[in-house]
Amino acid sequence: MATSAQQKQELFKAIWATAEDLRNSVDGWDFKSYVLGILFYRFISENITNYVNRLQAEAGVEGFDYADFSDEEAESARAQLVHEKGFFILPSQLFCNVRKRAKNDANLNVTLDNVFKAIEASAIGTESESDLKGLFADIDVNSNKLGNSVDKRNEQLTKILNHIGNIDLKGDYQDNQIDIFGDAYEYLMAMYASNAGKSGGEYYTPQEVSELLARIVSHGREYVNKVYDPACGSGSLLLKFAKILGKNNVKKGFFGQELNITTYNLCRINMFLHDINYADFDIRNGDTLLEPYHWDEEPFDAIVSNPPYSTKWVGSDNATLINDPRFAPAGVLAPKSKSDLAFTMHMLSWLSTEGTAAIVEFPGVLYRGGAEQKIREYLIKNNYVDTVIQLPANLFFGVTIATCIIVLKKSKKENKTLFIDASNLFVHEGNKNKLSPENIETIVAEYAARKGVKHFSALIPNAKVAENGYNLSVSSYVEAEDTRPEIDIRELNDRIRRIVAHENQLRTEIDKIIAELEAETTLHQPVSSDRSENTCERQRAMPECSEISDESTGKGGSL
């Protein structure tokens, strides 16, 4: 089996090769849909193949391969597979078989379209219907962007199938050492974020930041009941719990809501790619602040989120929101132009008594006045803010500003808030900063210890935070280290004395030289004066000399 590093290189190599093929026809952000969609198609095909083959092996059937099975015989297992896996794929429609026939399939675009529709249709009328519906909606196999003719489009589709099929990922999904979908998504962000307009980076949290949040929320726990993200993007934050705790230790599943339809589809695809059974996740499409879906599932033990930064929402324009049980306790709504703390209040409301929430926030929420200050006052007075962590700048795609993390708890043991300045904990990769494993360990260790480390962290009584106007900026409580070199005052004074003494010596020598020059000038000056007077006397005695002199100055005549 290929190593993790080799798998990543194969993945990036395949994506880059596909990008080169599509560079002149498919826009960067549209290209993402084709690559990730075909990745999903391959993995969902292999997932069901591996599952059926394992069942047959356990039943004592040797050498069985679902990919070689007939469609007619496979139909008998349809109901069982849909119940257990949430979907069904005929052997003839598996990725490997469609790819094998692709070069000679004059109707490849129709074939793929039918396959995608069949996979989604397999769940209609079952419990997994909502989890499968629309998963392939963003893959338009008939788009003119792939080519101006059917032949050109099919040629491009064949290339994509081959590039994705050539990625070396052996073994079953739970044994795979890399987050294949996350790595693909992150790599695509790096390639195309700058050309994507509203960058897809705003919907994706880098994996190392996801790990930090999950490590904080799961600290001291061997399992959690339910994980929730009200702005779940592609699901990378939720899925980190499956990596860190093991998916079986998220007892009651993964819950999330996402407004953007494309990203909502990507999140559901991501769940399947990580072998999260359809019965173990509930991802919904919609506006969490106005139409939260999971009322029947709250409260949650673990909440993680990277909600959109300072975006507009209806706020006070909707008079009923001030009575919403999520927002009412603070007595004020987040500003209409900045929804950040509306998300924070939503998550606090749905957090269980013993739970922990970790939220990536725009730095302005820590110090801005008005309604936001009043919400911070509510949070501090009720002792809900456990920790504030200042992150390094330039961690997120499309966002160079330094963000922060606010950790919320409802059952704190002390009336204090921990502030951690991690702004200098990063490594630089390409044009982005990144948290290294060592950086993450350092932050988590202090989060757990709460000791207060000079120039790194401080445990501050909430009364002091109140005196400071409920300002939660880390820099207000953690003194930055003075990185200037230390100065030895005695040595500095000695150097100054030496410099002054040397200057005095130079001044003395200069004064001596000037005195000598003045003496020499004085010595020669009388001689010059006498000589001038003698000349004048002779001129008076000899008139012709006067004429010569006048001539020499242009005033006299000839001899």
Side-chain angles (χ1 to χ4, degrees):
M1 181 177 175
T3 66
S4 174
Q6 289 172 334
Q7 288 173 339
K8 283 188 178 183
Q9 289 304 313
E10 287 295 324
L11 170 67
F12 298 161
K13 183 178 176 181
I15 291 175
W16 184 254
T18 310
E20 287 292 294
D21 280 339
L22 298 176
R23 181 179 297 278
N24 296 321
S25 57
V26 181
D27 197 51
W29 204 233
D30 292 331
F31 158 74
K32 163 194 59 65
S33 298
Y34 289 101
V35 174
L36 294 181
I38 300 299
L39 270 172
F40 173 56
Y41 173 41
R42 174 190 165 177
F43 293 144
I44 203 173
S45 295
E46 294 182 5
N47 185 285
I48 199 168
T49 298
N50 290 340
Y51 182 75
V52 174
N53 290 351
R54 185 164 56 246
L55 290 178
Q56 292 298 312
E58 291 172 355
V61 180
E62 296 183 4
F64 179 87
D65 188 351
Y66 183 66
D68 297 330
F69 209 39
S70 71
D71 287 354
E72 291 73 21
E73 292 176 293
E75 280 289 352
S76 63
R78 175 185 286 270
Q80 178 186 353
L81 290 175
V82 171
H83 175 72
E84 294 175 357
K85 301 299 294 181
F87 60 91
F88 177 74
I89 307 177
L90 288 168
S92 66
Q93 294 181 327
L94 293 170
F95 174 90
C96 61
N97 288 329
V98 172
R99 179 194 178 196
K100 192 183 302 181
R101 301 188 302 265
K103 187 176 181 180
N104 299 315
D105 186 352
N107 298 305
L108 178 60
N109 59 327
V110 176
T111 298
L112 286 172
D113 190 45
N114 289 337
V115 168
F116 297 156
K117 288 178 179 177
I119 294 173
E120 290 188 21
S122 70
I124 292 177
T126 72
E127 292 182 2
S128 61
E129 180 175 355
S130 63
D131 298 313
L132 270 291
K133 186 177 181 180
L135 282 183
F136 294 98
D138 291 324
I139 310 176
D140 185 359
V141 293
N142 297 303
S143 172
N144 288 333
K145 293 178 180 179
L146 289 171
N148 293 324
S149 66
V150 172
D151 289 343
K152 288 292 184 181
R153 291 196 283 274
N154 287 341
E155 181 182 343
Q156 292 283 42
L157 289 169
T158 300
K159 288 180 179 179
I160 297 175
L161 288 169
N162 287 331
H163 287 311
I164 299 303
N166 287 335
I167 300 175
D168 180 19
L169 294 171
K170 305 298 182 183
D172 215 346
Y173 298 99
Q174 54 264 41
D175 299 324
N176 207 306
Q177 295 301 304
I178 65 170
D179 180 346
I180 181 67
F181 188 83
D183 283 330
Y185 197 91
E186 187 163 357
Y187 187 64
L188 287 166
M189 295 306 102
M191 288 174 65
Y192 293 110
S194 61
N195 298 320
K198 260 196 158 181
S199 167
E202 65 184 293
Y203 307 120
Y204 180 72
T205 304
Q207 291 183 46
E208 68 275 6
V209 179
S210 299
E211 179 169 347
L212 174 60
L213 293 171
R215 290 276 302 277
I216 287 172
V217 170
S218 63
H219 178 73
R221 296 174 178 266
E222 293 182 359
Y223 69 90
V224 295
N225 282 327
K226 293 179 286 189
V227 181
Y228 175 64
D229 183 349
C232 59
S234 63
S236 60
L237 276 170
L238 292 171
L239 286 164
K240 273 300 173 183
F241 283 87
K243 291 281 187 181
I244 291 173
L245 294 176
K247 66 178 183 179
N248 293 328
N249 289 321
V250 181
K251 300 293 186 180
K252 296 182 180 179
F254 304 81
F255 299 81
Q257 189 162 338
E258 172 57 43
L259 180 61
N260 181 278
I261 185 70
T262 296
T263 317
Y264 158 68
N265 289 336
L266 292 176
C267 184
R268 290 183 296 153
I269 288 173
N270 210 357
M271 292 291 161
F272 281 110
L273 291 182
H274 286 82
D275 203 31
I276 305 297
N277 190 277
Y278 74 94
D280 294 326
F281 71 84
D282 188 0
I283 308 298
R284 298 288 172 164
N285 178 224
D287 188 331
T288 301
L289 296 181
L290 301 183
E291 298 177 343
Y293 184 83
H294 298 98
W295 283 106
D296 295 335
E297 298 294 341
E298 61 96 7
F300 296 94
D301 294 333
I303 299 178
V304 284
S305 193
N306 178 20
Y309 304 143
S310 297
T311 57
K312 295 179 181 179
W313 76 306
V314 64
S316 58
D317 284 347
N318 184 340
T320 63
L321 286 175
I322 193 60
N323 297 316
D324 189 304
R326 299 170 297 161
F327 309 128
V332 65
L333 295 172
K336 291 186 292 183
S337 60
K338 303 174 182 68
S339 64
D340 310 71
L341 290 183
F343 277 102
T344 301
M345 289 297 295
H346 166 79
M347 285 179 260
L348 176 66
S349 177
W350 284 18
L351 183 64
S352 70
T353 302
E354 300 299 324
T356 303
I359 312 161
V360 178
E361 302 270 18
F362 192 78
V365 305
L366 301 178
Y367 57 80
R368 289 188 299 231
E372 291 180 308
Q373 184 180 24
K374 291 181 180 179
I375 294 174
R376 292 197 305 272
E377 179 180 353
Y378 165 76
L379 295 175
I380 291 296
K381 281 186 173 180
N382 288 277
N383 200 27
Y384 290 143
V385 181
D386 179 77
T387 305
V388 181
I389 303 170
Q390 179 64 58
L391 293 175
N394 201 28
L395 288 180
F396 296 85
F397 295 105
V399 180
T400 58
I401 196 169
T403 54
C404 61
I405 295 172
I406 292 181
V407 182
L408 302 177
K409 288 186 177 181
K410 288 185 174 178
S411 300
K412 289 171 59 181
K413 296 179 180 179
E414 56 188 356
N415 201 29
K416 298 178 180 179
T417 300
L418 177 66
F419 294 87
I420 298 176
D421 184 1
S423 57
N424 293 319
L425 295 184
F426 64 88
V427 293
H428 197 69
E429 290 190 4
N431 61 353
K432 304 297 296 177
N433 292 331
K434 186 174 183 178
L435 295 173
S436 69
E438 294 75 19
N439 297 151
I440 294 172
E441 287 296 335
T442 299
I443 297 170
V444 173
E446 176 54 18
Y447 167 77
R450 302 177 76 82
K451 291 181 178 179
V453 178
K454 190 175 183 180
H455 305 308
F456 179 60
S457 63
L459 189 59
I460 304 298
N462 286 342
K464 185 175 179 179
V465 177
E467 291 173 4
N468 196 26
Y470 302 99
N471 186 326
L472 295 179
S473 297
V474 173
S475 60
S476 297
Y477 306 99
V478 180
E479 182 183 2
E481 184 176 6
D482 187 352
T483 57
R484 294 174 299 179
E486 293 185 5
I487 298 173
D488 188 321
I489 298 299
R490 291 182 178 179
E491 181 183 348
L492 178 61
N493 284 334
D494 286 342
R495 287 180 60 192
I496 292 173
R497 279 193 290 270
R498 289 194 298 270
I499 291 170
V500 171
H502 185 58
E503 287 181 344
N504 290 337
Q505 182 182 353
L506 290 175
R507 174 52 57 189
T508 300
E509 292 177 358
I510 291 171
D511 289 344
K512 183 179 178 181
I513 293 171
I514 291 173
E516 290 176 352
L517 289 172
E518 289 177 342
E520 184 178 348
T521 301
T522 303
L523 178 65
H524 289 86
Q525 186 64 36
V527 173
S528 175
S529 178
D530 291 343
R531 185 174 296 162
S532 177
E533 291 175 359
N534 291 336
T535 301
C536 292
E537 287 294 329
R538 286 195 298 270
Q539 286 178 344
R540 284 192 293 270
M542 301 174 64
E544 63 275 15
C545 290
S546 177
E547 293 180 5
I548 295 173
S549 177
D550 288 343
E551 184 182 43
S552 68
T553 61
K555 297 178 182 178
S558 61
L559 284 172

